[in-house]
Amino acid sequence: MKEVETMSKAEWQVMRIIWTLGQATSNQVIDILEKKTDWKAATIKTLIIRLQKKEFLKADEANRPYIYQPLIAEDSAIHQSVNNLFDDLCCMKKGLAINDLVENSEISQKDIAQIIQTLTDKAKSAPEVVDCNCLEADLK
């Protein structure tokens, strides 16, 4: 599996456009990003080339302009990215981080209902206290 942690913030922006459109030409990506950022066309083309080299994008080279398609699903990339982040956190702090995300994110009523259901299900088997995992067991 491709490691999304190798994707820069700028590359994520390119991927978000291509995921949203399903596929895109470099000109479509350039048009959108030039309106959202102060990036030049050459910078955006470089990002697309990097994403190809990292095997996150493939180009249909049968016709010009090339049509770029994602080689990793957006859901899969998000899942991997979130898990990579949370793997680096102390187990005792993950709940705080999740709470912070919920408080500071614009989320839909449907997403809130799903989160509530997930938490309700999770509460049935959750431990009362989560142990710190920052030190090796023999160092405690």
Side-chain angles (χ1 to χ4, degrees), residues 44-97:
I44 298 165
K45 286 180 183 178
T46 299
L47 293 170
I48 290 170
I49 291 166
R50 282 189 200 154
L51 286 163
Q52 278 186 277
K53 287 180 182 173
K54 293 179 181 182
E55 298 181 1
F56 291 114
L57 284 180
K58 71 175 179 178
D60 178 356
E61 300 177 1
N63 297 305
R64 291 275 185 159
Y66 294 166
I67 298 173
Y68 295 92
Q69 298 171 324
L71 289 173
I72 185 171
E74 183 177 19
D75 290 349
S76 184
I78 291 169
H79 177 78
Q80 193 183 131
S81 180
V82 168
N83 282 307
N84 286 346
L85 169 67
F86 274 74
D87 284 348
D88 292 337
L89 298 180
C90 172
C91 283
M92 293 174 58
K93 305 296 183 187
K94 289 180 181 181
L96 181 65

Side-chain angles (χ1 to χ4, degrees), residues 10-58:
E11 290 167 346
W12 268 96
Q13 288 201 48
V14 171
M15 289 300 296
R16 286 176 50 203
I17 291 165
I18 294 172
W19 283 320
T20 300
L21 297 174
Q23 62 183 23
T25 64
S26 59
N27 285 337
Q28 288 175 296
V29 175
I30 289 166
D31 288 345
I32 293 167
L33 285 175
E34 282 184 334
K35 291 174 186 163
K36 290 177 64 171
T37 69
D38 59 357
W39 301 344
K40 303 293 182 218
T43 300
I44 298 165
K45 286 180 183 178
T46 299
L47 293 170
I48 290 170
I49 291 166
R50 282 189 200 154
L51 286 163
Q52 278 186 277
K53 287 180 182 173
K54 293 179 181 182
E55 298 181 1
F56 291 114
L57 284 180
K58 71 175 179 178

